[in-house]
Amino acid sequence: MVLAKSKNNVGLGSSLMNDRFGKGKASSQKKVSHNNAIARKGMDGETYVTNEAKEASWVKMRSITEQAALDEFLSTAELAGTDFTAEKINNVKIIHSDQKNPFLLTPTEEKNAVKKHQKNKGRLTVPRRPKWDQSTTRNELEAMEKQSLLDWRRGLAELQEYHDLLMTPFERNLEVWRQLWRVIERSDLVVQIVDARNPLQFRSEDLETYVKEIDPRKKNLLLVNKADMLTLKQREAWAEYFERNNINFRFFSAHLAKEKIEAALLEEEAQGNEELANKTKDMNVRDDEDDGYRKEDTVEEEMAKLADPDRSLGPHILDTEELEELFLANSPETLPQDEEAGEQPKQKTTIGLVGYPNVGKSSTINALLGAKKVSVSATPGKTKHFQTLYLSPEIMLCDCPGLVFPNFATTKAELVVNGVLPIDQQREFTGPAGLVAKRVPKHFIEQVYGVKLRMRPIEEGGTGIPTASEILRAYARARGFSTQGLGQPDESRAARYVLKDYVNGKLLYVHPPPTAEGEEPIDVNEFNKDLYDINHLPERRRNQLAQAQIGKPATPAMVKDDIDADVTAAPYSEPTVEPELGRTSRNLDSGFFGTATGPSAGRMTLPFQAQYTKQGQEIRKTPTGRKERMMVALERGVDVSEVRGPNSKKHFKGNKKAAKKIRNNPEDDDY
Ligand SMILES: Nc1nc2c(ncn2[C@@H]2O[C@H](COP(=O)(O)OP(=O)(O)OP(=O)(O)O)[C@@H](O)[C@H]2O)c(=O)[nH]1
C-alpha cells in the first residue's frame, strides 16, 4: 500500500493505521466510539471493526455531506449490507455480499420501525389554531398563528431528530393549515379521504381529535376511496379492522361512480336503440363479488342501513347517491340549550373534504357533482385553495387543498410508491422500484408488460425475487429506452413508468390491516394472491392491464420523451434485443447519417459502428465488464480489483474503446 506523503495523512489506510498503531489514536478512537463502531475478535484471533446493527437505519436516514475516510468506509459497508474482516491493514476482504437494496429495510428492521411508530404515534399532531376572541386584532391573531406553527414544527423536528424517525414531508406552510382550520370550523362532517391500498398511511388520527376539540357535535368519516382496487376479501379484512378500532368508515370508489354516471348517460343517449339500451342496463347491474356495487334488489335494504349512519356497511362500496344520503344524515344537530334559546337548526349541511394529495378528492367531487367541474390530475398537489361547491341546496362541499399530514414512514421509497412524493422529482429510483419488485409477483409483471424477466440464478447469488434492476432493464429493453452514449437500457427512465403504473394501480398491491396484539400478522402474499390471477380478474381490470402491455419493438413515436403518455397497447411478441438509440441520436440519424427507411430506419449508422455491432453480437452470450468481474470475485472470494476481464489491458486506449462499444449490446450487463 502506498502511504500518503503529506504530513496530514488522509484516507482509509491512514485512518486504520492510526487506529491500530497509535499516532492520533485518541482521536481515532473517539471517532469510532462516536459512530458506535465496535471492535470484535474473530475466530482466528484477528480484530475487525463493524457498525452496531441498530446504527444502520439511522445512517440511512441522515443526510451525509462529509465524512472521515474510516467513517465513510464503515457506513458504506453497512449500507451495502456487507460485512468484512481486516486481516491485514492493506487487505480488506469482502466475506459476504447479497442483493440487499441499501434504500430498503430488512423485514426485521421494518418490524422494529413499525413498533417504534406505534410507540410514538401519539406525538403526531396537526397544528391547532390559537384561541382568539372579539378583542383579538388581526395582527395579533397572525402573530399567534405563526408562533403556534413554529412550536408545532419544532416539536416534530425534535421527534425526528432525537428518536430517529422518518416522517412524511408534512405540510409546513401556514397558509395551507389556515385553509384546513377554516374548512374544519365550517364543516359539520369532516371527511378524510384515504387511498384504500394503504389507508393508515393516509389517515391522521389527530385530525379527528382536533375536529372534536373544536366542537363535539362535529363528526368524522374515513372515506376509503379507490376501493375498486380491493377484492371483496380485502375489503372485509379492512372493514373488520375499522370496526374493531371504532373508526367510522365507508368504502367508496370515485372511479366506479364515474363509470356508473357514464353508463347512465349512455343509456339516456341510447333511448330508442333497444340493443344499446340493453347493454347499458347490464352494465348498471353489477355483481357484488366483482366490484362491490350492490345488486338492484338490495336497494331497500341498503337504504335502511344508510338511514342509520352509525351502522356499519362492512365491505360495501357506496355509490354517489348513498354517499349523498350519508352526508344528509350528518346534518348539524341543534343542542337542547340552543333550541331553548330559540336557535333554528341550520339549513345547510357543510361537508369538509380533506386528505393527502392524489387520494382522489377531486375525482370524488366530480363523481358527486356528476360532471367535470374540478380538474383531475395524476400529479400530486393540484388543488391549491379550498373551494365551496353546492351538491344540492342542502349540502355544501368544502374541498381543502391536498395536504400531507405528519405521519411516520419506514423509508423514502415507501413515500414514493404511495404517491406522496412525486415520481418525476425523484433521482433515486432503486428503492421504490425495489419495493415494486418485492411486492408484485414476477409472473404478473411479465404478463402485464409482455416481457420476460431474466433473473440472477439462485446458485449465483440470486434470491428468487427479481431485483429492481432486473425489472427495469427488461422494461427499458422492451420499450427501447436506452442511455445516450453506451446505449445501455435506461433504467431511470423505465423506473418512472413502472412506478407510475404502481401508483395508478396497474401494478397493484394492497397492504393488509394490522392484526390485534398477539395475533399472527396477515400473510401479504396470500392477502394479495387473487389480484394476480390474471385469468380471473374482472373485465374492467383486464382492460386496464391490456393498456400497459408493451411486448413489441418500440417505435420512435412511442419512445418520444413524453412521460405522461400512456403505454401504447400492442399484442405480445418477443421484445427486440437490439439497442435503441436515444432521441438526440435519432435526430442526428435522420439529419445526417441515417437511412430514412428499411430495417435500420431510426437508428444512427455511423461509419464505424457496423464492425462493433457485429462483434457485440458474437460476444452477446458471455457476460462482460464489471458485472462479470464482480461475479468472478464473489465466486473466488477475492476483491473485485483483483479480477481482470480477459481483454483488459491497462493503459491501452484502443482496447478500452472496443470494450466500450461491446457494452453497447443491451444484454451485456445482465448475467
Ligand atoms: N382506480 C381508481 N383511481 C382513482 C379513484 N379516484 C381517483 N383515482 C385516480 O387517482 C388520481 C388522483 O385523483 P385526484 O382526484 O386528482 O386526486 P386529489 O386528491 O384531488 O389530488 P389533489 O388535487 O392533488 O388534491 C387520478 O389519477 C385518478 O384517476 C378511484 O376510485 N379508483
Side-chain angles (χ1 to χ4, degrees):
M1 185 175 72
V2 181
L3 293 172
K5 293 208 170 65
S6 143
K7 265 198 296 183
N8 310 318
N9 284 353
V10 288
L12 173 61
S14 299
S15 297
L16 290 170
M17 292 285 276
N18 289 343
D19 191 41
R20 184 156 168 171
F21 298 118
K23 186 187 163 206
K25 191 170 182 181
S27 69
S28 293
Q29 268 176 350
K30 204 166 133 210
K31 206 182 296 164
V32 169
S33 72
H34 167 72
N35 282 287
N36 294 344
I38 41 173
R40 299 177 205 268
K41 272 229 180 293
M43 302 258 288
D44 51 7
E46 291 284 346
T47 305
Y48 63 97
V49 184
T50 176
N51 267 16
E52 253 184 298
K54 74 177 170 65
E55 186 79 342
S57 59
W58 176 80
V59 172
K60 258 177 265 172
M61 303 312 167
R62 196 180 59 162
S63 157
I64 301 168
T65 50
E66 222 174 76
Q67 275 186 310
L70 177 58
D71 299 357
E72 188 169 11
F73 176 73
L74 291 172
S75 56
T76 310
E78 189 68 66
L79 289 173
T82 57
D83 208 346
F84 58 87
T85 170
E87 288 173 3
K88 286 183 194 155
I89 296 298
N90 60 351
N91 182 15
V92 176
K93 187 171 129 188
I94 292 175
I95 56 172
H96 173 71
S97 170
D98 60 14
Q99 291 189 302
K100 186 180 181 316
N101 186 321
F103 298 96
L104 300 178
L105 302 184
T106 63
T108 321
E109 284 169 342
E110 194 162 334
K111 224 193 240 167
N112 292 339
V114 171
K115 255 193 219 153
K116 213 163 163 190
H117 295 171
Q118 280 298 325
K119 217 170 109 194
N120 289 286
K121 91 175 176 193
R123 303 173 72 171
L124 290 172
T125 54
V126 295
R128 278 19 182 195
R129 187 177 203 186
K131 295 248 177 307
W132 57 279
D133 57 33
Q134 304 291 332
S135 64
T136 319
T137 65
R138 195 192 172 94
N139 286 349
E140 279 170 351
L141 182 61
E142 266 181 26
M144 276 154 57
E145 284 178 345
K146 276 186 188 151
Q147 190 56 45
S148 162
L149 195 86
L150 212 66
D151 293 343
W152 168 78
R153 277 182 63 170
R154 204 168 286 144
L156 289 177
E158 277 172 14
L159 185 62
Q160 269 174 293
E161 200 150 315
Y162 300 129
H163 295 266
D164 176 24
L165 289 158
L166 176 69
M167 290 179 78
T168 49
F170 57 84
E171 185 59 62
R172 285 152 165 90
N173 184 348
L174 174 59
E175 198 40 56
V176 178
W177 287 110
R178 279 195 183 120
Q179 307 265 348
L180 178 84
W181 292 335
R182 276 184 211 133
V183 168
I184 297 178
E185 279 162 15
R186 278 178 175 217
S187 303
D188 302 302
L189 173 72
V190 176
V191 181
Q192 252 194 84
I193 304 184
V194 294
D195 188 319
R197 290 170 290 176
N198 195 1
L200 300 185
Q201 176 73 68
F202 296 93
R203 176 180 178 230
S204 166
E205 262 186 84
D206 190 55
L207 180 75
E208 294 169 18
T209 312
Y210 184 36
V211 168
K212 288 287 183 189
E213 270 172 30
I214 292 184
D215 187 340
R217 288 173 295 180
K218 291 184 190 293
K219 296 204 172 106
N220 285 298
L221 172 72
L222 194 74
L223 194 66
V224 188
N225 187 38
K226 307 195 187 182
D228 55 288
M229 296 197 192
L230 274 55
T231 63
L232 179 63
K233 264 195 251 160
Q234 289 175 326
R235 294 199 306 275
E236 275 168 354
W238 271 108
E240 202 190 308
Y241 172 84
F242 293 135
E243 279 159 20
R244 197 172 58 233
N245 290 280
N246 296 319
I247 297 168
N248 184 26
F249 77 99
R250 292 288 188 277
F251 284 110
F252 184 67
S253 165
H255 185 78
L256 291 179
K258 183 174 157 235
E259 271 189 1
K260 200 179 176 196
I261 292 165
E262 283 169 0
L265 285 174
L266 208 66
E267 194 172 19
E268 238 170 63
E269 273 175 30
Q271 266 176 3
N273 181 340
E274 209 179 320
E275 210 178 293
L276 201 53
N278 284 339
K279 200 174 157 199
T280 36
K281 199 168 156 212
D282 282 345
M283 283 171 75
N284 263 332
V285 185
R286 289 162 192 280
D287 186 349
D288 215 6
E289 269 295 319
D290 183 352
D291 54 21
Y293 266 122
R294 57 179 159 69
K295 291 190 175 100
E296 281 191 335
D297 59 0
T298 61
V299 175
E300 274 169 26
E301 192 197 327
E302 298 294 356
M303 292 311 270
K305 281 187 194 169
L306 281 165
D308 178 359
D310 293 328
R311 200 168 140 192
S312 166
L313 290 173
H316 173 71
I317 300 177
L318 301 191
D319 64 16
T320 42
E321 294 102 76
E322 289 168 341
L323 191 57
E324 203 175 324
E325 279 292 320
L326 181 67
F327 289 167
L328 270 178
N330 281 281
S331 46
E333 296 160 21
T334 315
L335 292 181
Q337 63 266 31
D338 293 338
E339 247 177 320
E340 271 170 31
E343 202 175 291
Q344 291 295 310
K346 246 169 70 176
Q347 292 301 303
K348 268 190 331 250
T349 306
T350 309
I351 309 292
L353 298 167
V354 301
Y356 275 60
N358 227 24
V359 291
K361 281 189 312 300
S362 308
S363 306
T364 301
I365 294 171
N366 282 343
L368 281 165
L369 297 176
K372 291 228 178 270
K373 293 231 170 70
V374 190
S375 72
V376 177
S377 75
T379 313
K382 195 96 190 294
T383 316
K384 292 279 179 254
H385 309 281
F386 98 79
Q387 327 175 26
T388 51
L389 302 143
Y390 277 92
L391 186 56
S392 68
E394 297 88 37
I395 302 176
M396 187 172 83
L397 301 177
C398 275
D399 178 23
C400 187
L403 81 126
V404 177
F405 293 100
N407 215 337
F408 296 127
T410 47
T411 55
K412 197 174 167 201
E414 185 68 57
L415 293 170
V416 176
V417 297
N418 277 330
V420 176
L421 296 176
I423 291 161
D424 288 335
Q425 287 170 23
Q426 304 308 310
R427 273 190 294 167
E428 200 301 298
F429 55 84
T430 64
L435 281 182
V436 176
K438 253 169 57 178
R439 291 175 179 174
V440 184
K442 172 178 174 274
H443 76 86
F444 187 75
I445 293 177
E446 288 184 328
Q447 279 174 305
V448 168
Y449 289 140
V451 297
K452 185 88 194 123
L453 294 181
R454 305 170 69 232
M455 282 163 48
R456 180 193 287 260
I458 292 186
E459 318 75 73
E460 289 174 24
T463 59
I465 297 169
T467 61
S469 185
E470 282 159 351
I471 292 179
L472 299 177
R473 292 178 77 81
Y475 186 95
R477 266 202 302 273
R479 288 288 305 258
F481 294 166
S482 52
T483 55
Q484 301 270 329
L486 294 184
Q488 290 291 301
D490 189 343
E491 294 183 37
S492 152
R493 189 161 175 211
R496 289 197 283 158
Y497 280 87
V498 172
L499 292 175
K500 282 185 181 185
D501 279 347
Y502 184 92
V503 171
N504 69 28
K506 276 179 196 144
L507 299 179
L508 192 49
Y509 175 85
V510 177
H511 288 259
T515 41
E517 187 89 25
E519 262 181 46
E520 274 289 298
I522 295 176
D523 179 335
V524 287
N525 295 329
E526 185 59 32
F527 188 69
N528 279 292
K529 194 178 72 190
D530 294 343
L531 297 175
Y532 310 124
D533 183 1
I534 214 148
N535 296 321
H536 297 98
L537 295 178
E539 199 185 331
R540 173 174 31 83
R541 176 108 179 102
R542 281 208 299 272
N543 292 341
Q544 184 199 21
L545 294 181
Q547 290 168 20
Q549 196 168 61
I550 319 154
K552 77 166 192 181
T555 61
M558 277 170 70
V559 188
K560 84 173 172 19
D561 211 353
D562 176 12
I563 194 71
D564 283 331
D566 263 343
V567 178
T568 311
Y572 174 63
S573 63
E574 272 306 307
T576 177
V577 290
E578 292 292 326
E580 192 71 28
L581 296 165
R583 190 177 44 167
T584 316
S585 313
R586 275 196 312 280
N587 291 345
L588 263 177
D589 174 36
S590 53
F592 298 97
F593 302 107
T595 45
T597 54
S600 59
R603 308 275 307 277
M604 183 162 70
T605 47
L606 294 171
F608 51 79
Q609 200 173 29
Q611 71 190 75
Y612 293 123
T613 309
K614 227 175 180 176
Q615 283 178 7
Q617 275 165 358
E618 279 160 22
I619 295 167
R620 188 173 296 162
K621 288 192 191 80
T622 325
T624 58
R626 194 175 51 84
K627 280 258 163 86
E628 184 205 29
R629 291 203 303 279
M630 211 137 88
M631 277 167 59
V632 175
L634 283 171
E635 267 168 27
R636 294 187 197 158
V638 294
D639 191 281
V640 70
S641 63
E642 293 171 35
V643 182
R644 285 223 183 132
N647 300 326
S648 77
K649 277 185 198 155
K650 270 189 178 169
H651 315 298
F652 180 45
K653 275 191 184 146
N655 209 44
K656 227 182 192 174
K657 197 173 160 192
K660 209 173 170 187
K661 277 295 153 194
I662 290 162
R663 284 177 57 126
N664 216 12
N665 180 346
E667 306 252 326
D668 281 353
D669 262 0
D670 289 3
Y671 317 102

